[in-house]
Amino acid sequence: MPAAAALACESVGSPSAGSALRHARAVRCELNQERVSHGLRTLRNDESLALAARRFSGAMVRQRFFDHVSPDGSTLGKRLSAAGFRMARGVGETIGWGSGTLARPAAIVAAWMASPPHRAIILDASFHAVGLGVAPGSPAGVGGAATVTADFAG
């Protein structure tokens, strides 16, 4: 994605099942906008990472948990392997959810950027790919919400 394209991210609201992909694209655009503003290259979409991320966001909403380890003990490495991802030099994950205006891609990414551990992952120059998973709803059962997982790889 050219730097100029990173400045024109689509503003979308809370996702429905039919708009989750559009919401994920907007989150990736916001992530790339942050990276470009810090002199980093943009992240390309990786379908295996996206599959793992979609599955995990959906699981958090269905099973009502919010953690990087699922109640059955699934970790990022296990989830990526199950999605067919071949391990890279490094991987990372950010998760978040918001309702109302806090479900918008810009708000999700702003919250991550305000959190030092999430910010470090987003601005890790060794990452070149990302997969986004967006599930309508929240782990808390709040309506009008979005739960987002971003899986990164180098």
Side-chain angles (χ1 to χ4, degrees), residues 2 4 23 42 52-53 72-73 76 101 113 138 146:
H23 201 276
T42 60
D72 68 1
L76 177 58
T101 60
M113 291 301 290
S138 77

Side-chain angles (χ1 to χ4, degrees), residues 43-96:
L43 299 164
R44 67 173 174 76
N45 181 60
D46 181 281
E47 282 303 316
S48 295
L49 292 172
L51 176 59
R54 281 191 305 271
R55 288 175 176 170
F56 196 57
S57 289
M60 286 191 286
V61 171
R62 281 189 312 279
Q63 297 174 27
R64 301 271 171 98
F65 74 93
F66 187 71
D67 198 311
H68 291 281
V69 179
S70 70
D72 68 1
S74 175
T75 61
L76 177 58
K78 289 179 186 177
R79 292 191 299 273
L80 294 179
S81 180
F85 184 76
R86 303 275 187 248
M87 283 301 161
R89 287 173 276 176
V91 295
E93 180 174 73
T94 60
I95 58 174

